[in-house]
Amino acid sequence: MNFLELVQQQSDRMMPEHYKSLGVEEMEARVRRIKESMGKRLFIPCHHYQKDEVVQFADAIGDSLQLAQISAKNAEAEFIVFCGVHFMAETADILTNDRQHVILPDMRAGCSLADMADFPQTVRGWEEMQKQFGDTILPLTYINSTAAIKAFVGEHGGATVTSSNARQMLEWAFTQKERVLFLPDQHLGRNTAYELGIPLDQMAVWDPITETFEYDGDLRQVKIILWKGHCSVHALFTPENVKQVRSRHPDAAIIVHPECSREVVELSDYAGSTKYIIDTIQQAKPGTKWAVGTEMNLVNRLAKQMSDKEVFSLNPVMCACLTMNRIDLPHLLWALESIEKGEVINPITVEPDLAKKAKWALDRMLAR
Ligand code: 13P
Ligand code: SF4
């Protein structure tokens, strides 16, 4: 089932209207009371892109790798109310046991990048690639992908990667096979491969819509096949933004997420996962200036928390991940109050066969 079908299936499970008219203090007090009364039966993991109104109630906050590691370790919480996007909640469901319920407070919290590779497209593309290259390819999928894609990759000997271990995983992949198929984010794939010393002319792009390679030259030279997908939020950071910051704030360092294009990463000073961005700015000297190319909630939080430094967005028109923003205080409260009433709303349950194969891909990553 793809994400849109899931949304359709869950459309009768929308939050009741009355939650929208509750005051903030009232909602916060109700969330606090439920958290206290449920204790360790309840666990609320949060991604760094979540809104402050939700992050204040997080039991753990992290990047995608940390959230996967936390889920794999937590065997005691009966209810995991995941404040992040759909693929993250699916990953948590795959890595937790059958007695644990994973809940996504709003089923509309998808990830447009994850939806850029669907299962039939992947099967068809893989067939073409086998015809072209024979059995020389290992598939790697960014964790921002559906459980079905992770299962496909797991079944073909590959692994998941996140933005914080992509280099290490790509190095491992090349010890297994001569070539790598990198799904679904071409930019993370290209940036990581380039960092490993693979020249751009050994990278082909696979277009899943036209079912063709975008490549000029002899395909036999290709080391990495990049799936033609991208994050619509990070696509909003452009080389023009970098040039503007360089001219208006020559003393600022520029740090971006590797979902940004190759051009932007090349012109920036640093690139890395959300955790890397936070750690780098945290460890920087007071008085330093930082232009940050990633999601708006995180940039705003850094600007607020690190008041001894100047932190601002690389793109002056702040870039929000609208699906991450679907999770808000009213939806969190609704999810928690439903649990109290004995109803599990918006459960994320990956079908067992898919979960088994997707776990192979996740385990290969977590073992490293
Ligand atoms: P991180 O793993 O770096 O937190 O990235 C997740 C994500 O979705 C970035 O857009
Ligand atoms: Fe997906 Fe991009 Fe949002 Fe990250 S920022 S969750 S990759 S749409």
Side-chain angles (χ1 to χ4, degrees), residues 22-34:
L22 290 173
V24 172
E25 277 179 27
E26 162 84 19
M27 287 190 280
E28 288 177 343
R30 279 156 73 166
V31 170
R32 224 171 280 123
R33 186 193 58 71
I34 296 174

Side-chain angles (χ1 to χ4, degrees), residues 47 49 63-65 87-88 142 144 163 234 257 259 273-274:
H47 186 263
Y49 291 164
D63 68 2
S64 305
L65 179 63
F87 76 82
M88 295 178 178
Y142 191 21
N144 298 38
S163 56
H234 289 89
H257 196 279
E259 285 173 18
S273 71
T274 53

Side-chain angles (χ1 to χ4, degrees), residues 49 85 111-113 144 231 233-234 259 321 324:
Y49 291 164
V85 288
C111 164
S112 57
L113 167 59
N144 298 38
C231 162
V233 178
H234 289 89
E259 285 173 18
C321 176
M324 279 276 179

Side-chain angles (χ1 to χ4, degrees), residues 352-364:
D353 186 53
L354 275 191
K356 180 180 80 185
K357 292 169 182 165
K359 191 164 182 302
W360 295 337
L362 285 161
D363 283 346
R364 286 185 194 114

Side-chain angles (χ1 to χ4, degrees), residues 87-100:
F87 76 82
M88 295 178 178
E90 271 190 339
T91 301
D93 180 56
I94 294 164
L95 294 172
T96 48
N97 64 48
D98 292 346
R99 294 180 307 281
Q100 296 177 287

